[in-house]
Amino acid sequence: EEVGVPVHDGGSKLVQSGEAPGGTKWHIVMLDLAEMVDSTKKKIQVDEQGILAGLETSIHEAVAQLLLLAEEVGHKPEKMALTNPMKDLKINDIDFVGAYEMRKQWMEEMKTNKCHECPKLEQHFAVADVGRRLQVTLEDLKYKLSDDSLQLMPEFEARLSLLKTLGYIDAENVVQLKGHTACT
């Protein structure tokens, strides 16, 4: 049984992985705030400094507490009481409340989506993920070829001209001995 979250390229950073006594695999992952889906009202006491320092006793204690919490809700995360940011954290910003309510509605709609029952869900997700990565790469390349990315070109050319005048590079923009010496 896996404890923790899957690691993906959305900004997550795998800090450490291991296996607790009894064979439970665990991962410590640093998440960007935007990657958090929800938070629970349940709290566990952990030695975060010990965990980040890699102390096995601290890690195994945290894993044991998470396993107890999972057993408490019958390994069904949907049964766990979630934090309400407005009530529990006293967040009253109108933009946040609107975004939170919209997200809550989307989450409810996603729960009823028939895709969750598809036997090829992992394959379909992998194809969609490759498509998303290609789209991000395409957008990056479009930007690099756009006029916006060329706004710094005059400054770059001015610097090249200065380097040529000072004799650090030649007419073909090859670094000369004088340029190598200046860099070291």
Side-chain angles (χ1 to χ4, degrees):
E1 177 179 353
E2 290 279 324
V3 174
V5 295
V7 180
H8 57 86
D9 69 347
S12 300
K13 178 182 174 191
L14 179 63
V15 176
Q16 194 172 1
S17 290
E19 193 169 313
T24 301
K25 294 179 183 176
W26 53 266
H27 307 285
I28 299 173
V29 180
M30 300 296 281
L31 297 174
D32 288 337
L33 186 58
E35 294 180 286
M36 292 197 54
V37 175
D38 262 317
S39 62
T40 178
K41 291 183 180 182
K42 296 285 186 174
K43 296 178 185 175
I44 61 171
Q45 295 293 321
V46 297
D47 173 18
E48 66 273 4
Q49 296 303 320
I51 290 171
L52 292 175
L55 297 176
E56 283 193 29
T57 55
S58 298
I59 294 168
H60 292 172
E61 178 61 30
V63 170
Q65 288 187 49
L66 288 170
L67 286 171
L68 287 173
L69 189 59
E71 286 177 17
E72 189 178 309
V73 294
H75 297 278
K76 296 183 190 263
E78 64 273 6
K79 289 187 175 181
M80 195 172 296
L82 299 176
T83 303
N84 182 318
M86 284 78 70
K87 293 178 185 172
D88 301 324
L89 304 177
K90 309 289 189 245
I91 298 176
N92 295 318
D93 178 69
I94 193 142
D95 293 331
F96 177 85
V97 171
Y100 177 78
E101 291 299 326
M102 185 177 291
R103 184 190 157 284
K104 196 165 88 172
Q105 180 183 348
W106 288 340
M107 294 300 282
E108 288 301 316
E109 289 174 11
M110 283 195 296
K111 286 180 185 176
T112 62
N113 192 313
K114 64 181 181 179
C115 292
H116 295 291
E117 305 299 322
C118 180
K120 295 183 178 182
L121 178 62
E122 287 185 33
Q123 294 167 333
H124 294 160
F125 183 79
V127 169
D129 186 49
V130 168
R132 182 194 56 82
R133 289 173 194 243
L134 288 172
Q135 186 65 37
V136 167
T137 303
L138 179 64
E139 289 171 13
D140 184 49
L141 291 172
K142 281 182 181 178
Y143 171 77
K144 287 178 180 176
L145 294 172
S146 73
D147 290 340
D148 291 336
S149 72
L150 296 176
Q151 286 179 345
L152 298 175
M153 193 59 145
E155 182 182 343
F156 174 72
E157 289 173 349
R159 290 180 185 210
L160 277 178
S161 176
L162 176 64
L163 290 172
K164 285 177 187 173
T165 303
L166 295 174
Y168 291 144
I169 59 175
D170 65 11
E172 287 84 35
N173 297 334
V174 176
V175 179
Q176 300 300 299
L177 179 60
K178 187 176 179 182
H180 281 288
T181 307
C183 291
T184 55

